[in-house]
Amino acid sequence: MELKTIIYKVADLIATITLSRPKRRNAWTGRMHTEYRWALEQADRDPAVRVIVVTGDPEGDAFCAGADLGALEGHSEKGRYDPGITEDIARPGYGVAPEFDATFAYHFGLAKPVIAAVNGAAAGVGLVLAAYADLRFAVPGAKFTAAHGRFNFPAEYGLSWLLPRIVGLTHANDILLSSRVFTSDEAMAMGFLNKLLPPEELMPFVMDYAKRMAEGVSPGSLRVTKNQIYTDLHRDAASAVNEAERLLSEMATHPDYKEGVKAWMEKRKAKWQG
């Protein structure tokens, strides 16, 4: 696929997806969504990738400023919402569980963790992207907003389900019912973010974190643990324990288990088979 709105790179076991429409503050379009899903599918299938990092083009002075205003005007003129995608769009993460087979929920079906490096404003769908990442790191003072209330929209793409699970009902109601702007400093206090870092330290920290995860955790463990986390949101505690015990017995027969023990005993990096 010819990429016009994102930059996709793979190095050191990490796939980096950069939202890149800097003149429009990396605003979201149907084209960007199409390219983003293509890139996720490539990363998820690539054995040379173990962790995915998503960030915004720094020239855009934002992570993602939300839906492009031109697209919003188009919806208004048509009198209906048009996502701007086609039926043949890539389907990363689909087929793992019915609960994940929907727009943005597909992140939960990916076999690899996604880290959001939020280097500026995250509004509307930008907030959605950050929320569906597994880990979120940001710069101080970045502005966040759900924004939907200003356009007579509902809470978008499952945020009404997801945000209460991340920040609790009280904070989720504040974000979603007011559509107010809040800062990354507030988001950190709410528990939405894992860490705040100065702009010059954000990407070096995230890439180092991703590399340590890619090298220090077996690919099988990353895949299964991520699936457990999001599947267990729908389970009771006993079912989660029973499934964990089943997986433990199964995964203990894999060569990566023996390699992990051996590497630990020999105080070296493990050579994962994946």
Side-chain angles (χ1 to χ4, degrees):
M1 171 176 282
E2 182 184 4
L3 301 179
K4 296 182 178 180
T5 65
I6 70 166
I7 300 169
Y8 179 70
K9 293 182 178 179
V10 176
D12 298 326
L13 305 175
I14 303 163
T16 304
I17 301 173
T18 304
L19 310 178
S20 186
R21 298 184 69 230
K23 293 182 179 179
R24 303 291 290 178
R25 303 193 72 213
N26 305 324
W28 192 258
T29 63
R31 173 81 192 196
M32 182 178 279
H33 194 175
T34 298
E35 294 182 11
Y36 177 73
R37 283 172 61 154
W38 176 88
L40 280 184
E41 187 173 69
Q42 300 306 303
D44 206 39
R45 291 179 175 178
D46 189 348
V49 172
R50 295 183 185 170
V51 180
I52 302 166
V53 172
V54 180
T55 192
D57 189 326
E59 294 298 317
D61 195 31
F63 174 69
C64 175
D68 190 274
L69 288 177
L72 292 175
E73 290 176 351
H75 303 328
S76 179
E77 291 172 1
K78 292 176 182 177
R80 61 181 177 83
Y81 177 76
D82 179 2
I85 59 177
T86 57
E87 288 294 325
D88 60 349
I89 193 170
R91 295 166 69 84
Y94 278 72
V96 175
E99 296 86 357
F100 307 154
D101 290 351
T103 306
F104 293 109
Y106 53 68
H107 284 84
F108 299 154
L110 298 173
K112 297 159 187 180
V114 177
I115 302 176
V118 184
N119 54 344
V125 71
L127 179 64
V128 171
L129 276 174
Y132 277 100
D134 303 301
L135 296 156
R136 290 167 289 276
F137 301 96
V139 297
K143 293 181 178 180
F144 292 76
T145 179
H148 63 278
R150 300 171 202 166
F151 305 108
N152 193 43
F153 281 170
E156 295 181 277
Y157 298 114
L159 281 182
S160 54
W161 178 89
L162 184 55
L163 278 180
R165 286 165 168 78
I166 298 175
V167 301
L169 185 60
T170 300
H171 289 311
N173 282 345
D174 173 27
I175 293 167
L176 296 175
L177 295 178
S178 72
S179 279
R180 73 177 180 88
V181 174
F182 60 102
T183 67
S184 55
D185 305 76
E186 290 181 85
M188 183 70 198
M190 291 178 186
F192 183 72
L193 299 171
N194 293 91
K195 192 177 183 68
L196 288 175
L197 297 123
E200 67 277 9
E201 296 179 17
L202 178 65
M203 286 308 293
F205 176 90
V206 168
M207 298 306 285
D208 180 66
Y209 186 104
K211 187 175 182 180
R212 285 186 283 115
M213 182 186 291
E215 294 179 347
V217 184
S218 81
S221 182
L222 281 176
R223 180 182 67 253
V224 171
T225 303
K226 176 169 176 171
N227 182 264
Q228 283 180 284
I229 290 168
Y230 296 111
T231 301
D232 287 350
L233 287 174
H234 305 280
R235 284 187 173 135
D236 58 83
S239 296
V241 171
N242 290 335
E243 177 63 5
E245 290 179 332
R246 185 193 71 78
L247 289 167
L248 181 63
S249 296
E250 178 184 302
M251 295 175 70
T253 65
H254 194 280
D256 274 352
Y257 167 64
K258 291 183 178 180
E259 169 61 12
V261 173
K262 191 174 181 181
W264 180 263
M265 297 295 291
E266 296 175 358
K267 298 182 180 179
R268 60 170 174 82
K269 288 184 178 180
K271 299 176 183 178
W272 307 117
Q273 292 187 22

